Amino acid sequence: MSDGGDLLTLDGLTKAYPGVVANDDVSFAIAPGRIHALLGENGAGKSTLVKTVYGLVKPDTGTMRLAGADYTPASPQAARAAGVAMVFQHFSLFDALDVAENVALGMEDPPPRRQLARRIREVSRDYGLPLDPGRIVGDLSAGERQRVEIVRCLLQNPQLLIMDEPTSVLTPQEVEILFRTLRQLAAEGTAILYISHKLEEIRALCDSATILRLGKVVATCTPAEKSARELAELMVGTTLATPARAAGGRGETLLTLDALSQPALGPFGTPLREISLEVGAGEIVGIGGVAGNGQDELLMALSGETRVRRDAIRLRGAAVGHLGPVARRRLGLLTAPEERLGHAAAPDMSLTENAVLSAHVRQRLARRGFVDWRRAKDYAEHVIAAFDVRTPGPGHAARSLSGGNLQKFVIGREVMQKPDLLVVNQPTWGVDASAAAAIRQALLDLAAGGAGVIAISQDLDELMEISDRFAALNEGRLSPPRAAQGLTVEEIGLMLGGAHDMEVAHAH
Amino acid sequence: MIALERRPEPSRAWQYATPLLAVALTMVAGGLMFAALGKDPFAAIRTIFWDPLFHPQFAAFSRPQLLVKAGPLILIAIGLSLGFRAGVWNIGAEGQYIVGALCGAAAGLALYPSDSVLIFPMMVLAGALGGWAWAMIPAILKTRFNTNEILVSLLLVYVAENLMASLAVGALRNPEGGGFPGSRNLAQWDAASNPELIAGTGMHWGVAAAFIAVILAYVLLARHLTGFHIRLTGEAPRAARFAGVSPARLVIFCLGVSGALAGLAGLFEVTGPAGQISIDFNTGYGFTAIIVAFLGRLHPVGILLAGLLMALTYIGGELASFMLGIPAAAIQAFQGMLLFFLLAVDVLTNYRIRLGRREVAG
């Protein structure tokens, strides 16, 4: 199936791990100058596939050809030497070093510093990615850090650039800048393999797409010709239900945040600065923002893990800022943290034990200090059934569940306690599309039943789908909330702090 | 290539099998060590594990010793295991054991030679309070100033030893002892003695307390919310915070309980088997109990069995050095091997061994 015009062809790649076939007979080709999307849910095999191309994983069977020659990279060094570069989802940068030093660390034979700095300036100017080689990486925004990684790749003049979920940490404006850069690269003949599960982005950016499901190629298509819904259904393999929302007005005020401030917890924390917000019965307030702008701190202040000024948090008018998590739960203020394993749930404990973790107060799973394990097991089974958590039973350890299933359990555990106010942080992060839809529906149903919900998320599409009002968290400050209906992407972007004044970059 | 592969869930079977495997490996490695010392390894192993219980000549003496030695080990290890489960590392049980014995003995001796029946219960209380108070020093320093409880509790052992030495020749010295260091013999003072409850078994109040502690610890960990929070804190500290556990309160609780139990062990020892406060009253139960706690998987029932096994190697070790001339250091090395192998094979609970070709990093 070697087609003379293709840069990279994959033919019958199979990679099995114990218990799971990550890639099953995967074949596709990428032509020079094309942006090719690799689309699939978590666990569909995208990561294994790109790691194979980048020399991190050796396939069991199958062959790859790059620019007409056999391509069997034994290591990332070999892959880079062959002209394949990759920008990872999680950056591999040293905070304490400056940009030029970080770039040099990722190169096989870095040129002298002065020359390298000049090359960085040239490349960043040519591709609209402004970067000062002398700045310390620790001071850069997420978007700027990503530029360091991209520039590092571009300095090696790659034939193929792999980008793994590049937009998950960017504001809409930064995404626009990135897309212009990628289009320019493609126009110059670089092939780009773009991995994402954000369908609208792929429709806007990519020339072709390969869709993976459970390790197999299920479709190859031109994304612009498909609707986002069609793509999602190809990814999931079933038809998706759009969350249904009942139109309801905002009821009495349940939660009041009054100039909630809190110093940073530790050297890499973000302080919360004078956050004020009111949440009414029956409404969902979406809080957007790029990670690291105070989301964790806000959740912990609301859960009671960190105590704040008494009347900075009021529930139905009663000051609760000084209360711990147990007392707040008793009053009806429940939370679900972002990190499933280790924060929301104990990895090695069973689901029954994890049910006791946060539900023993409201579900009366303990009597005079003694845990009623029968009731706890019943409650865990109840959550498992109501939220369709896929597990052999409540006796199994939390860490044995997939991310999506554990997240359904964690959200379900709180929702089933009938909270007056529920705060969730990244409710669908790393969760497959069908589980995400179920979780969003549960939040909508909860609000429809008269509870207030605060949804903290980086996924703006999600927030627009479920929120009644939207506010942005930026460097620990919360913007005044605005009605979500009719809010444009540009307005949201500006609320999130824009593109850190880098818009001019593409002006010339 | 041999590769370790993480199991999706900890293996229950291996959780129970690893202590047995560790004992077996210790016998093999210990046997090799004894052989290298020029002793018959089979005789040595038999002398350590078998003769204390069944030797026609020695068993009558050594069999009761089993409970006498196991009692304090179990009592202390139960307390330590609660802290270890929660990630609170009390290494200074030896010091709490000493201070418990000192306080209990001092409280009793203050009323010598009364024969009130309340003397012994009061001494028990004073012993527990003494151990508790000594453990509160690292607890409060940790919660107030974030000091390391490992260092503080360990160093306080040496303070306690010197305190005991000074009291043994000072305030607590037997006025009728002819100037020799050491207190009056409490075992020979009926109101304060902790006698053998059933003749020929070694069973005394301390052993009974150890059994009760095993049961209470089991109930606490398996049924009570506090026990659940202890386990939760050890396994996932952030999740424990989320559940509403106060780390400071847990530190105080765990150190307090382990200190009180160690103090009790010291009191029962000084009023029974040891009989008096002397310069070398302590024999390392507080440190050996750390091994017992881990050998027993930090599980109450496991600790009960581990305490008995450890006591057996003590008695058998003495027997072996006496009968076969094996040096005491070799016996200690043998006991060390037990902990070493236990920790080493522990990896099998969470990992499985896979033989096969190496996986490329990824």
Side-chain angles (χ1 to χ4, degrees):
Chain A
M1 75 168 261
S2 177
D3 169 359
D6 287 331
L7 174 70
L8 176 74
T9 52
L10 312 179
D11 190 10
L13 287 184
T14 297
K15 175 71 194 175
Y17 291 109
V20 59
V21 181
N23 289 149
D24 188 357
D25 194 20
V26 173
S27 307
F28 65 89
I30 309 170
R34 304 274 281 180
I35 305 180
H36 189 97
L38 193 55
L39 194 59
E41 295 196 276
N42 293 292
K46 294 173 303 196
S47 296
T48 305
L49 192 61
V50 295
K51 281 179 181 167
T52 309
V53 176
Y54 196 56
L56 282 163
V57 169
K58 200 169 163 240
D60 298 337
T61 58
T63 56
M64 294 188 282
R65 292 177 71 78
L66 186 73
D70 277 336
Y71 174 60
T72 50
S75 67
Q77 285 82 359
R80 284 199 291 268
V84 176
M86 180 160 173
V87 176
F88 286 91
Q89 184 178 6
H90 300 286
F91 306 141
S92 44
L93 299 174
F94 293 93
D95 281 359
L97 301 181
D98 70 20
V99 170
E101 286 165 334
N102 266 291
V103 169
L105 279 173
M107 297 177 76
E108 304 303 327
D109 46 353
R113 192 187 155 90
R114 192 185 297 262
Q115 203 183 331
L116 181 65
R118 205 186 64 236
R119 295 264 291 126
I120 290 173
R121 277 199 204 89
E122 280 170 15
V123 169
S124 65
R125 192 188 59 232
D126 291 350
Y127 291 96
L129 299 166
L131 259 189
D132 175 354
R135 280 186 69 195
I136 299 294
V137 164
D139 298 334
L140 301 182
S141 74
E144 290 169 313
R145 285 171 196 230
Q146 188 180 53
R147 278 178 217 150
V148 179
E149 297 261 12
I150 297 173
V151 166
R152 182 197 272 173
C153 289
L154 295 186
L155 284 174
Q156 334 230 0
N157 299 313
Q159 293 176 278
L160 173 69
L161 179 63
I162 306 172
M163 310 238 16
D164 188 5
E165 303 264 357
T167 60
S168 53
V169 294
L170 303 183
T171 64
Q173 277 81 357
E174 286 174 328
V175 170
E176 232 0 88
I177 295 175
L178 174 70
F179 281 11
R180 267 179 261 173
T181 304
L182 294 181
R183 289 196 188 101
Q184 185 185 343
L185 273 170
E188 291 171 4
T190 309
I192 295 167
L193 183 57
Y194 187 91
I195 297 139
S196 181
H197 60 251
K198 293 191 178 170
L199 304 167
E200 289 299 346
E201 284 181 2
I202 282 174
R203 292 188 63 236
L205 180 72
C206 300
D207 305 310
S208 54
T210 297
I211 300 171
L212 290 180
R213 186 166 72 231
L214 300 173
K216 287 197 176 91
V217 175
V218 290
T220 307
C221 63
T222 306
E225 291 169 1
K226 300 263 181 197
S227 72
R229 191 189 178 85
E230 284 169 320
L231 290 175
E233 288 176 358
L234 282 170
M235 241 163 76
V236 184
T238 55
T239 47
L240 282 173
T242 317
R245 44 193 310 190
R250 182 174 152 206
E252 50 151 347
T253 299
L254 286 175
L255 182 82
T256 311
L257 302 185
D258 181 14
L260 168 63
S261 293
Q262 181 194 285
L265 308 165
F268 300 108
T270 309
L272 298 177
R273 303 172 217 255
E274 310 246 318
I275 290 180
S276 294
L277 180 71
E278 283 194 354
V279 184
E283 81 165 337
I284 299 183
V285 176
I287 294 182
V290 174
N293 274 293
Q295 285 92 338
D296 275 355
E297 288 80 0
L298 180 60
L299 183 114
M300 284 170 67
L302 287 169
S303 73
E305 286 165 85
T306 50
R307 315 283 169 93
V308 292
R309 186 166 47 83
R310 274 183 82 96
D311 54 358
I313 304 175
R314 291 197 300 274
L315 191 67
R316 295 182 191 283
V320 299
H322 60 298
L323 297 176
V326 175
R328 292 194 198 183
R329 284 190 187 112
R330 194 168 285 132
L331 294 172
L333 172 54
L334 269 54
T335 52
E338 169 188 1
E339 197 189 334
R340 292 181 282 266
L341 284 175
H343 195 184
D348 284 327
M349 285 189 161
S350 70
L351 294 180
T352 301
E353 289 172 303
N354 274 299
V356 174
L357 196 153
S358 77
H360 72 83
V361 186
R362 289 178 79 78
Q363 296 304 119
R364 300 208 179 81
L365 303 182
R367 238 171 283 148
R368 276 180 290 152
F370 285 90
V371 181
D372 185 340
W373 289 111
R374 276 187 79 94
R375 275 184 74 109
K377 182 162 170 278
D378 287 349
Y379 182 64
E381 277 169 350
H382 201 39
V383 172
I384 288 168
F387 278 78
D388 188 27
V389 179
R390 309 278 164 81
T391 171
H396 285 260
R399 79 167 196 230
S400 70
L401 269 66
S402 73
N405 277 311
L406 184 56
Q407 185 69 6
K408 282 196 278 187
F409 182 81
V410 165
I411 299 281
R413 179 182 69 188
E414 307 303 330
V415 168
M416 307 280 287
Q417 296 182 47
K418 300 191 178 62
D420 292 335
L421 196 111
L422 178 65
V423 187
V424 291
N425 188 8
Q426 297 278 40
T428 61
W429 186 82
V431 164
D432 61 61
S434 49
I439 288 169
R440 288 175 198 146
Q441 187 63 55
L443 296 178
L444 287 167
D445 292 346
L446 187 66
V453 176
I454 296 179
I456 305 171
S457 177
Q458 291 181 63
D459 186 340
L460 295 176
D461 296 336
E462 167 173 275
L463 291 180
M464 288 305 109
E465 189 178 312
I466 61 172
S467 315
D468 298 296
R469 289 188 299 149
F470 175 85
L473 193 60
N474 193 8
E475 292 179 354
R477 284 194 189 83
L478 192 71
S479 74
R482 296 172 61 174
Q485 199 123 43
L487 216 51
T488 66
V489 171
E490 282 68 35
E491 287 171 315
I492 294 170
L494 290 173
M495 289 171 82
L496 292 175
H500 301 277
D501 303 323
M502 293 300 182
E503 267 294 61
V504 284
H506 274 285
H508 60 260
Chain B
M1 274 306 284
I2 303 172
L4 284 175
E5 187 178 287
R6 192 168 165 83
R7 297 176 191 273
E9 292 187 84
S11 156
R12 295 223 180 266
W14 274 113
Q15 239 162 356
Y16 293 110
T18 46
L20 298 176
L21 183 61
V23 170
L25 287 170
T26 307
M27 286 190 183
V28 172
L32 289 174
M33 179 180 70
F34 295 137
L37 288 169
K39 312 290 177 191
D40 176 1
F42 296 100
I45 299 290
R46 199 195 62 229
T47 310
I48 293 173
F49 286 102
W50 186 261
D51 284 353
L53 299 179
F54 303 107
H55 191 280
Q57 193 183 340
F58 300 114
F61 167 76
S62 55
R63 210 179 289 152
Q65 284 296 309
L66 189 68
L67 286 183
V68 169
K69 295 243 191 281
L73 286 178
I74 293 168
L75 195 55
I76 300 170
I78 287 286
L80 293 181
S81 71
L82 297 180
F84 293 170
R85 281 255 179 141
V88 178
W89 304 102
N90 177 6
I91 305 299
E94 185 80 356
Q96 295 137 25
Y97 169 87
I98 292 170
V99 174
L102 289 177
C103 289
L109 289 170
L111 299 173
Y112 184 86
S114 157
D115 56 1
S116 161
V117 291
L118 295 176
I119 297 256
F120 188 66
M122 180 206 67
M123 289 170 73
V124 170
L125 203 63
L129 277 175
W132 174 83
W134 205 247
M136 277 303 106
I137 300 172
I140 288 167
L141 288 176
K142 183 177 175 70
T143 51
R144 278 289 155 95
F145 304 109
N146 205 21
T147 58
N148 184 324
E149 79 278 16
I150 299 177
L151 289 176
V152 177
S153 64
L154 177 63
L155 293 179
L156 281 170
V157 172
Y158 306 107
V159 178
E161 279 179 347
N162 283 300
L163 184 66
M164 175 177 68
S166 103
L167 288 178
V169 298
L172 291 181
R173 191 177 61 182
N174 182 0
E176 294 154 26
F180 283 101
S183 69
R184 285 183 198 277
N185 194 316
L186 296 161
Q188 288 165 11
W189 170 27
D190 282 345
S193 77
N194 170 23
E196 195 174 24
L197 297 174
I198 304 166
T201 58
M203 179 81 180
H204 61 72
W205 284 114
V207 180
F211 290 153
I212 293 168
V214 168
I215 294 166
L216 291 183
Y218 181 85
V219 172
L220 179 79
L221 287 171
R223 302 261 158 227
H224 200 272
L225 216 45
T226 305
F228 175 70
H229 284 161
I230 285 173
R231 293 189 286 132
L232 187 59
T233 304
E235 291 191 20
R238 286 193 76 202
R241 293 285 286 270
F242 173 63
V245 179
S246 152
R249 248 192 258 166
L250 204 69
V251 167
I252 303 256
F253 177 83
C254 289
L255 276 166
V257 169
S258 57
L261 290 183
L264 277 181
L267 178 275
F268 289 125
E269 191 68 14
V270 77
T271 50
Q276 59 164 186
I277 295 287
S278 57
I279 293 175
D280 52 359
F281 159 71
N282 62 315
T283 49
Y285 281 133
F287 291 118
T288 310
I290 297 170
I291 305 181
V292 170
F294 279 103
L295 191 60
R297 316 257 55 162
L298 304 182
H299 187 285
V301 178
I303 287 169
L304 177 69
L305 299 175
L308 291 170
L309 177 71
M310 209 65 204
L312 187 64
T313 65
Y314 260 84
I315 302 159
E318 270 173 37
L319 214 56
S321 68
F322 161 66
M323 285 182 28
L324 304 174
I326 293 173
I331 300 293
Q332 283 176 8
F334 184 76
Q335 287 162 345
M337 281 178 195
L338 198 56
L339 183 66
F340 170 83
F341 280 115
L342 185 84
L343 294 176
V345 296
D346 202 27
V347 75
L348 294 172
T349 310
N350 276 307
Y351 293 84
R352 71 176 115 232
I353 295 177
R354 219 161 59 91
L355 301 170
R357 99 198 136 79
R358 211 171 87 91
E359 188 65 34
V360 182

